[in-house]
Amino acid sequence: MGLPELAVIGVIAVVVFGPKKLPELGSAVGKALRGFKQEMNNPSSDEESSDGGEDAEKVAEKDAA
């Protein structure tokens, strides 16, 4: 992608989201990408939270009763 294509995408983004919403949108995307990178570098194990699943099942059974 060259400079003209990026300019067209930028103009379309300003028209669709508005100039006031773009910084918020950029910040949200940046935070999401940062969180994704952190999770890829330090994946959390599902084994650590296996007890939480059982507790959730007990709560669901109590709510159903």
Side-chain angles (χ1 to χ4, degrees), residues 25-59:
L25 186 63
S27 175
V29 170
K31 287 179 183 178
L33 288 175
R34 198 173 312 121
F36 179 75
K37 284 182 181 179
Q38 285 178 347
E39 195 62 33
M40 291 299 292
N41 290 334
N42 302 320
S44 61
S45 175
D46 288 338
E47 295 173 3
E48 295 174 5
S49 62
S50 64
D51 292 338
E54 293 173 6
D55 292 337
E57 290 174 4
K58 290 178 184 177
V59 170

PDB file of all heavy atoms in Angstrom, residues 25-59:
ATOM      1  N   LEU A  25     -10.912   5.793  19.111  1.00  0.00           N
ATOM      2  CA  LEU A  25     -10.855   4.540  18.369  1.00  0.00           C
ATOM      3  C   LEU A  25      -9.419   4.044  18.271  1.00  0.00           C
ATOM      4  O   LEU A  25      -9.151   2.858  18.477  1.00  0.00           O
ATOM      5  CB  LEU A  25     -11.447   4.747  16.971  1.00  0.00           C
ATOM      6  CG  LEU A  25     -11.603   3.524  16.098  1.00  0.00           C
ATOM      7  CD1 LEU A  25     -12.580   2.547  16.724  1.00  0.00           C
ATOM      8  CD2 LEU A  25     -12.078   3.923  14.713  1.00  0.00           C
ATOM      9  N   GLY A  26      -8.484   4.937  17.982  1.00  0.00           N
ATOM     10  CA  GLY A  26      -7.072   4.566  17.918  1.00  0.00           C
ATOM     11  C   GLY A  26      -6.547   4.069  19.246  1.00  0.00           C
ATOM     12  O   GLY A  26      -5.783   3.103  19.303  1.00  0.00           O
ATOM     13  N   SER A  27      -6.954   4.714  20.315  1.00  0.00           N
ATOM     14  CA  SER A  27      -6.537   4.300  21.649  1.00  0.00           C
ATOM     15  C   SER A  27      -7.071   2.905  21.973  1.00  0.00           C
ATOM     16  O   SER A  27      -6.349   2.064  22.509  1.00  0.00           O
ATOM     17  CB  SER A  27      -7.035   5.302  22.676  1.00  0.00           C
ATOM     18  OG  SER A  27      -6.737   4.867  23.970  1.00  0.00           O
ATOM     19  N   ALA A  28      -8.315   2.644  21.658  1.00  0.00           N
ATOM     20  CA  ALA A  28      -8.916   1.334  21.920  1.00  0.00           C
ATOM     21  C   ALA A  28      -8.221   0.239  21.119  1.00  0.00           C
ATOM     22  O   ALA A  28      -7.948  -0.846  21.649  1.00  0.00           O
ATOM     23  CB  ALA A  28     -10.400   1.363  21.599  1.00  0.00           C
ATOM     24  N   VAL A  29      -7.912   0.520  19.862  1.00  0.00           N
ATOM     25  CA  VAL A  29      -7.215  -0.467  19.035  1.00  0.00           C
ATOM     26  C   VAL A  29      -5.812  -0.714  19.583  1.00  0.00           C
ATOM     27  O   VAL A  29      -5.350  -1.853  19.651  1.00  0.00           O
ATOM     28  CB  VAL A  29      -7.166  -0.009  17.554  1.00  0.00           C
ATOM     29  CG1 VAL A  29      -6.240  -0.878  16.739  1.00  0.00           C
ATOM     30  CG2 VAL A  29      -8.559  -0.027  16.955  1.00  0.00           C
ATOM     31  N   GLY A  30      -5.129   0.340  19.999  1.00  0.00           N
ATOM     32  CA  GLY A  30      -3.796   0.195  20.570  1.00  0.00           C
ATOM     33  C   GLY A  30      -3.789  -0.644  21.836  1.00  0.00           C
ATOM     34  O   GLY A  30      -2.932  -1.501  22.029  1.00  0.00           O
ATOM     35  N   LYS A  31      -4.774  -0.413  22.715  1.00  0.00           N
ATOM     36  CA  LYS A  31      -4.865  -1.198  23.939  1.00  0.00           C
ATOM     37  C   LYS A  31      -5.156  -2.657  23.636  1.00  0.00           C
ATOM     38  O   LYS A  31      -4.611  -3.562  24.281  1.00  0.00           O
ATOM     39  CB  LYS A  31      -5.958  -0.632  24.851  1.00  0.00           C
ATOM     40  CG  LYS A  31      -5.580   0.665  25.508  1.00  0.00           C
ATOM     41  CD  LYS A  31      -6.701   1.199  26.368  1.00  0.00           C
ATOM     42  CE  LYS A  31      -6.334   2.546  26.967  1.00  0.00           C
ATOM     43  NZ  LYS A  31      -7.437   3.090  27.768  1.00  0.00           N
ATOM     44  N   ALA A  32      -6.008  -2.901  22.654  1.00  0.00           N
ATOM     45  CA  ALA A  32      -6.330  -4.277  22.278  1.00  0.00           C
ATOM     46  C   ALA A  32      -5.103  -4.987  21.720  1.00  0.00           C
ATOM     47  O   ALA A  32      -4.832  -6.138  22.080  1.00  0.00           O
ATOM     48  CB  ALA A  32      -7.459  -4.294  21.264  1.00  0.00           C
ATOM     49  N   LEU A  33      -4.353  -4.307  20.861  1.00  0.00           N
ATOM     50  CA  LEU A  33      -3.145  -4.916  20.301  1.00  0.00           C
ATOM     51  C   LEU A  33      -2.094  -5.159  21.382  1.00  0.00           C
ATOM     52  O   LEU A  33      -1.429  -6.193  21.391  1.00  0.00           O
ATOM     53  CB  LEU A  33      -2.562  -4.028  19.206  1.00  0.00           C
ATOM     54  CG  LEU A  33      -3.348  -3.995  17.902  1.00  0.00           C
ATOM     55  CD1 LEU A  33      -2.742  -2.983  16.939  1.00  0.00           C
ATOM     56  CD2 LEU A  33      -3.374  -5.371  17.257  1.00  0.00           C
ATOM     57  N   ARG A  34      -1.957  -4.221  22.314  1.00  0.00           N
ATOM     58  CA  ARG A  34      -1.001  -4.379  23.401  1.00  0.00           C
ATOM     59  C   ARG A  34      -1.378  -5.581  24.268  1.00  0.00           C
ATOM     60  O   ARG A  34      -0.525  -6.390  24.640  1.00  0.00           O
ATOM     61  CB  ARG A  34      -0.974  -3.104  24.239  1.00  0.00           C
ATOM     62  CG  ARG A  34       0.240  -2.966  25.104  1.00  0.00           C
ATOM     63  CD  ARG A  34       0.315  -1.606  25.804  1.00  0.00           C
ATOM     64  NE  ARG A  34       0.085  -0.491  24.887  1.00  0.00           N
ATOM     65  CZ  ARG A  34      -0.887   0.401  25.025  1.00  0.00           C
ATOM     66  NH1 ARG A  34      -1.730   0.329  26.037  1.00  0.00           N
ATOM     67  NH2 ARG A  34      -1.031   1.381  24.151  1.00  0.00           N
ATOM     68  N   GLY A  35      -2.644  -5.719  24.588  1.00  0.00           N
ATOM     69  CA  GLY A  35      -3.103  -6.861  25.376  1.00  0.00           C
ATOM     70  C   GLY A  35      -2.903  -8.170  24.638  1.00  0.00           C
ATOM     71  O   GLY A  35      -2.520  -9.180  25.233  1.00  0.00           O
ATOM     72  N   PHE A  36      -3.131  -8.156  23.332  1.00  0.00           N
ATOM     73  CA  PHE A  36      -2.940  -9.358  22.531  1.00  0.00           C
ATOM     74  C   PHE A  36      -1.471  -9.773  22.531  1.00  0.00           C
ATOM     75  O   PHE A  36      -1.147 -10.954  22.697  1.00  0.00           O
ATOM     76  CB  PHE A  36      -3.429  -9.108  21.097  1.00  0.00           C
ATOM     77  CG  PHE A  36      -3.261 -10.284  20.194  1.00  0.00           C
ATOM     78  CD1 PHE A  36      -4.101 -11.371  20.296  1.00  0.00           C
ATOM     79  CD2 PHE A  36      -2.266 -10.293  19.233  1.00  0.00           C
ATOM     80  CE1 PHE A  36      -3.943 -12.462  19.461  1.00  0.00           C
ATOM     81  CE2 PHE A  36      -2.102 -11.370  18.386  1.00  0.00           C
ATOM     82  CZ  PHE A  36      -2.945 -12.460  18.500  1.00  0.00           C
ATOM     83  N   LYS A  37      -0.575  -8.799  22.368  1.00  0.00           N
ATOM     84  CA  LYS A  37       0.863  -9.108  22.368  1.00  0.00           C
ATOM     85  C   LYS A  37       1.302  -9.652  23.724  1.00  0.00           C
ATOM     86  O   LYS A  37       2.087 -10.597  23.802  1.00  0.00           O
ATOM     87  CB  LYS A  37       1.673  -7.859  22.031  1.00  0.00           C
ATOM     88  CG  LYS A  37       1.637  -7.494  20.579  1.00  0.00           C
ATOM     89  CD  LYS A  37       2.513  -6.273  20.316  1.00  0.00           C
ATOM     90  CE  LYS A  37       2.475  -5.872  18.865  1.00  0.00           C
ATOM     91  NZ  LYS A  37       3.310  -4.678  18.611  1.00  0.00           N
ATOM     92  N   GLN A  38       0.803  -9.062  24.806  1.00  0.00           N
ATOM     93  CA  GLN A  38       1.166  -9.542  26.143  1.00  0.00           C
ATOM     94  C   GLN A  38       0.689 -10.971  26.344  1.00  0.00           C
ATOM     95  O   GLN A  38       1.400 -11.798  26.901  1.00  0.00           O
ATOM     96  CB  GLN A  38       0.558  -8.643  27.211  1.00  0.00           C
ATOM     97  CG  GLN A  38       1.255  -7.321  27.362  1.00  0.00           C
ATOM     98  CD  GLN A  38       0.583  -6.432  28.399  1.00  0.00           C
ATOM     99  OE1 GLN A  38      -0.541  -6.704  28.844  1.00  0.00           O
ATOM    100  NE2 GLN A  38       1.253  -5.357  28.783  1.00  0.00           N
ATOM    101  N   GLU A  39      -0.491 -11.271  25.885  1.00  0.00           N
ATOM    102  CA  GLU A  39      -1.039 -12.614  26.046  1.00  0.00           C
ATOM    103  C   GLU A  39      -0.277 -13.621  25.191  1.00  0.00           C
ATOM    104  O   GLU A  39      -0.102 -14.769  25.589  1.00  0.00           O
ATOM    105  CB  GLU A  39      -2.532 -12.629  25.700  1.00  0.00           C
ATOM    106  CG  GLU A  39      -3.256 -13.857  26.167  1.00  0.00           C
ATOM    107  CD  GLU A  39      -3.253 -14.035  27.677  1.00  0.00           C
ATOM    108  OE1 GLU A  39      -3.264 -13.034  28.399  1.00  0.00           O
ATOM    109  OE2 GLU A  39      -3.243 -15.191  28.131  1.00  0.00           O
ATOM    110  N   MET A  40       0.181 -13.196  24.023  1.00  0.00           N
ATOM    111  CA  MET A  40       0.971 -14.090  23.171  1.00  0.00           C
ATOM    112  C   MET A  40       2.339 -14.366  23.803  1.00  0.00           C
ATOM    113  O   MET A  40       2.859 -15.472  23.675  1.00  0.00           O
ATOM    114  CB  MET A  40       1.164 -13.488  21.777  1.00  0.00           C
ATOM    115  CG  MET A  40      -0.109 -13.437  20.961  1.00  0.00           C
ATOM    116  SD  MET A  40      -0.837 -15.059  20.665  1.00  0.00           S
ATOM    117  CE  MET A  40       0.378 -15.767  19.586  1.00  0.00           C
ATOM    118  N   ASN A  41       2.921 -13.384  24.478  1.00  0.00           N
ATOM    119  CA  ASN A  41       4.223 -13.564  25.114  1.00  0.00           C
ATOM    120  C   ASN A  41       4.120 -14.332  26.427  1.00  0.00           C
ATOM    121  O   ASN A  41       5.031 -15.066  26.786  1.00  0.00           O
ATOM    122  CB  ASN A  41       4.896 -12.214  25.368  1.00  0.00           C
ATOM    123  CG  ASN A  41       5.327 -11.554  24.085  1.00  0.00           C
ATOM    124  OD1 ASN A  41       5.582 -12.214  23.088  1.00  0.00           O
ATOM    125  ND2 ASN A  41       5.401 -10.240  24.104  1.00  0.00           N
ATOM    126  N   ASN A  42       3.036 -14.157  27.154  1.00  0.00           N
ATOM    127  CA  ASN A  42       2.830 -14.812  28.448  1.00  0.00           C
ATOM    128  C   ASN A  42       1.463 -15.471  28.488  1.00  0.00           C
ATOM    129  O   ASN A  42       0.552 -14.974  29.151  1.00  0.00           O
ATOM    130  CB  ASN A  42       2.941 -13.792  29.590  1.00  0.00           C
ATOM    131  CG  ASN A  42       4.260 -13.081  29.610  1.00  0.00           C
ATOM    132  OD1 ASN A  42       5.290 -13.694  29.380  1.00  0.00           O
ATOM    133  ND2 ASN A  42       4.236 -11.783  29.871  1.00  0.00           N
ATOM    134  N   PRO A  43       1.296 -16.597  27.818  1.00  0.00           N
ATOM    135  CA  PRO A  43      -0.034 -17.219  27.808  1.00  0.00           C
ATOM    136  C   PRO A  43      -0.403 -17.738  29.197  1.00  0.00           C
ATOM    137  O   PRO A  43       0.424 -18.305  29.901  1.00  0.00           O
ATOM    138  CB  PRO A  43       0.103 -18.366  26.809  1.00  0.00           C
ATOM    139  CG  PRO A  43       1.561 -18.650  26.735  1.00  0.00           C
ATOM    140  CD  PRO A  43       2.261 -17.365  27.056  1.00  0.00           C
ATOM    141  N   SER A  44      -1.634 -17.486  29.579  1.00  0.00           N
ATOM    142  CA  SER A  44      -2.098 -17.982  30.872  1.00  0.00           C
ATOM    143  C   SER A  44      -2.602 -19.399  30.688  1.00  0.00           C
ATOM    144  O   SER A  44      -3.154 -19.766  29.661  1.00  0.00           O
ATOM    145  CB  SER A  44      -3.206 -17.090  31.425  1.00  0.00           C
ATOM    146  OG  SER A  44      -4.297 -17.082  30.546  1.00  0.00           O
ATOM    147  N   SER A  45      -2.408 -20.192  31.695  1.00  0.00           N
ATOM    148  CA  SER A  45      -2.793 -21.594  31.621  1.00  0.00           C
ATOM    149  C   SER A  45      -4.227 -21.768  32.106  1.00  0.00           C
ATOM    150  O   SER A  45      -4.637 -21.188  33.100  1.00  0.00           O
ATOM    151  CB  SER A  45      -1.845 -22.429  32.484  1.00  0.00           C
ATOM    152  OG  SER A  45      -2.264 -23.772  32.511  1.00  0.00           O
ATOM    153  N   ASP A  46      -4.999 -22.588  31.413  1.00  0.00           N
ATOM    154  CA  ASP A  46      -6.364 -22.878  31.842  1.00  0.00           C
ATOM    155  C   ASP A  46      -6.373 -23.804  33.050  1.00  0.00           C
ATOM    156  O   ASP A  46      -7.353 -23.871  33.778  1.00  0.00           O
ATOM    157  CB  ASP A  46      -7.162 -23.526  30.701  1.00  0.00           C
ATOM    158  CG  ASP A  46      -7.497 -22.545  29.608  1.00  0.00           C
ATOM    159  OD1 ASP A  46      -7.501 -21.330  29.893  1.00  0.00           O
ATOM    160  OD2 ASP A  46      -7.769 -22.984  28.481  1.00  0.00           O
ATOM    161  N   GLU A  47      -5.269 -24.521  33.273  1.00  0.00           N
ATOM    162  CA  GLU A  47      -5.194 -25.425  34.405  1.00  0.00           C
ATOM    163  C   GLU A  47      -5.245 -24.678  35.725  1.00  0.00           C
ATOM    164  O   GLU A  47      -5.745 -25.191  36.709  1.00  0.00           O
ATOM    165  CB  GLU A  47      -3.913 -26.253  34.319  1.00  0.00           C
ATOM    166  CG  GLU A  47      -3.881 -27.172  33.127  1.00  0.00           C
ATOM    167  CD  GLU A  47      -2.531 -27.859  32.966  1.00  0.00           C
ATOM    168  OE1 GLU A  47      -1.645 -27.653  33.816  1.00  0.00           O
ATOM    169  OE2 GLU A  47      -2.378 -28.584  31.985  1.00  0.00           O
ATOM    170  N   GLU A  48      -4.722 -23.448  35.770  1.00  0.00           N
ATOM    171  CA  GLU A  48      -4.722 -22.659  36.997  1.00  0.00           C
ATOM    172  C   GLU A  48      -6.127 -22.304  37.439  1.00  0.00           C
ATOM    173  O   GLU A  48      -6.408 -22.204  38.619  1.00  0.00           O
ATOM    174  CB  GLU A  48      -3.916 -21.380  36.804  1.00  0.00           C
ATOM    175  CG  GLU A  48      -2.443 -21.617  36.558  1.00  0.00           C
ATOM    176  CD  GLU A  48      -1.703 -20.336  36.232  1.00  0.00           C
ATOM    177  OE1 GLU A  48      -2.331 -19.268  36.297  1.00  0.00           O
ATOM    178  OE2 GLU A  48      -0.513 -20.415  35.911  1.00  0.00           O
ATOM    179  N   SER A  49      -7.027 -22.122  36.494  1.00  0.00           N
ATOM    180  CA  SER A  49      -8.379 -21.682  36.824  1.00  0.00           C
ATOM    181  C   SER A  49      -9.400 -22.809  36.707  1.00  0.00           C
ATOM    182  O   SER A  49     -10.569 -22.567  36.525  1.00  0.00           O
ATOM    183  CB  SER A  49      -8.779 -20.521  35.919  1.00  0.00           C
ATOM    184  OG  SER A  49      -8.788 -20.947  34.578  1.00  0.00           O
ATOM    185  N   SER A  50      -8.971 -24.070  36.839  1.00  0.00           N
ATOM    186  CA  SER A  50      -9.901 -25.176  36.690  1.00  0.00           C
ATOM    187  C   SER A  50     -10.909 -25.211  37.837  1.00  0.00           C
ATOM    188  O   SER A  50     -12.044 -25.622  37.660  1.00  0.00           O
ATOM    189  CB  SER A  50      -9.157 -26.510  36.601  1.00  0.00           C
ATOM    190  OG  SER A  50      -8.465 -26.763  37.814  1.00  0.00           O
ATOM    191  N   ASP A  51     -10.517 -24.763  39.035  1.00  0.00           N
ATOM    192  CA  ASP A  51     -11.449 -24.727  40.154  1.00  0.00           C
ATOM    193  C   ASP A  51     -12.564 -23.717  39.907  1.00  0.00           C
ATOM    194  O   ASP A  51     -13.684 -23.907  40.341  1.00  0.00           O
ATOM    195  CB  ASP A  51     -10.718 -24.378  41.456  1.00  0.00           C
ATOM    196  CG  ASP A  51      -9.787 -25.494  41.896  1.00  0.00           C
ATOM    197  OD1 ASP A  51     -10.015 -26.641  41.466  1.00  0.00           O
ATOM    198  OD2 ASP A  51      -8.830 -25.205  42.647  1.00  0.00           O
ATOM    199  N   GLY A  52     -12.252 -22.650  39.211  1.00  0.00           N
ATOM    200  CA  GLY A  52     -13.240 -21.632  38.918  1.00  0.00           C
ATOM    201  C   GLY A  52     -14.381 -22.168  38.082  1.00  0.00           C
ATOM    202  O   GLY A  52     -15.527 -21.776  38.233  1.00  0.00           O
ATOM    203  N   GLY A  53     -14.102 -23.088  37.203  1.00  0.00           N
ATOM    204  CA  GLY A  53     -15.145 -23.672  36.371  1.00  0.00           C
ATOM    205  C   GLY A  53     -16.126 -24.477  37.195  1.00  0.00           C
ATOM    206  O   GLY A  53     -17.318 -24.462  36.973  1.00  0.00           O
ATOM    207  N   GLU A  54     -15.604 -25.215  38.200  1.00  0.00           N
ATOM    208  CA  GLU A  54     -16.481 -26.004  39.056  1.00  0.00           C
ATOM    209  C   GLU A  54     -17.358 -25.097  39.896  1.00  0.00           C
ATOM    210  O   GLU A  54     -18.532 -25.386  40.109  1.00  0.00           O
ATOM    211  CB  GLU A  54     -15.637 -26.932  39.934  1.00  0.00           C
ATOM    212  CG  GLU A  54     -14.910 -28.003  39.142  1.00  0.00           C
ATOM    213  CD  GLU A  54     -13.949 -28.802  39.994  1.00  0.00           C
ATOM    214  OE1 GLU A  54     -13.927 -28.596  41.230  1.00  0.00           O
ATOM    215  OE2 GLU A  54     -13.213 -29.623  39.433  1.00  0.00           O
ATOM    216  N   ASP A  55     -16.798 -24.006  40.397  1.00  0.00           N
ATOM    217  CA  ASP A  55     -17.577 -23.069  41.186  1.00  0.00           C
ATOM    218  C   ASP A  55     -18.679 -22.442  40.336  1.00  0.00           C
ATOM    219  O   ASP A  55     -19.788 -22.237  40.811  1.00  0.00           O
ATOM    220  CB  ASP A  55     -16.691 -21.970  41.768  1.00  0.00           C
ATOM    221  CG  ASP A  55     -15.739 -22.507  42.834  1.00  0.00           C
ATOM    222  OD1 ASP A  55     -16.045 -23.573  43.417  1.00  0.00           O
ATOM    223  OD2 ASP A  55     -14.703 -21.861  43.077  1.00  0.00           O
ATOM    224  N   ALA A  56     -18.378 -22.163  39.091  1.00  0.00           N
ATOM    225  CA  ALA A  56     -19.369 -21.572  38.204  1.00  0.00           C
ATOM    226  C   ALA A  56     -20.518 -22.541  37.971  1.00  0.00           C
ATOM    227  O   ALA A  56     -21.676 -22.138  37.894  1.00  0.00           O
ATOM    228  CB  ALA A  56     -18.722 -21.174  36.881  1.00  0.00           C
ATOM    229  N   GLU A  57     -20.198 -23.834  37.879  1.00  0.00           N
ATOM    230  CA  GLU A  57     -21.257 -24.828  37.698  1.00  0.00           C
ATOM    231  C   GLU A  57     -22.157 -24.887  38.933  1.00  0.00           C
ATOM    232  O   GLU A  57     -23.372 -24.993  38.824  1.00  0.00           O
ATOM    233  CB  GLU A  57     -20.645 -26.201  37.425  1.00  0.00           C
ATOM    234  CG  GLU A  57     -19.977 -26.309  36.068  1.00  0.00           C
ATOM    235  CD  GLU A  57     -19.262 -27.638  35.884  1.00  0.00           C
ATOM    236  OE1 GLU A  57     -19.360 -28.497  36.782  1.00  0.00           O
ATOM    237  OE2 GLU A  57     -18.612 -27.803  34.846  1.00  0.00           O
ATOM    238  N   LYS A  58     -21.564 -24.802  40.133  1.00  0.00           N
ATOM    239  CA  LYS A  58     -22.355 -24.838  41.364  1.00  0.00           C
ATOM    240  C   LYS A  58     -23.269 -23.624  41.460  1.00  0.00           C
ATOM    241  O   LYS A  58     -24.416 -23.737  41.863  1.00  0.00           O
ATOM    242  CB  LYS A  58     -21.423 -24.901  42.578  1.00  0.00           C
ATOM    243  CG  LYS A  58     -20.704 -26.220  42.704  1.00  0.00           C
ATOM    244  CD  LYS A  58     -19.759 -26.212  43.885  1.00  0.00           C
ATOM    245  CE  LYS A  58     -18.957 -27.501  43.958  1.00  0.00           C
ATOM    246  NZ  LYS A  58     -17.982 -27.462  45.064  1.00  0.00           N
ATOM    247  N   VAL A  59     -22.738 -22.460  41.066  1.00  0.00           N
ATOM    248  CA  VAL A  59     -23.556 -21.244  41.094  1.00  0.00           C
ATOM    249  C   VAL A  59     -24.706 -21.373  40.112  1.00  0.00           C
ATOM    250  O   VAL A  59     -25.838 -20.990  40.413  1.00  0.00           O
ATOM    251  CB  VAL A  59     -22.675 -20.001  40.786  1.00  0.00           C
ATOM    252  CG1 VAL A  59     -23.542 -18.777  40.580  1.00  0.00           C
ATOM    253  CG2 VAL A  59     -21.680 -19.776  41.897  1.00  0.00           C
TER     254      VAL A  59
END
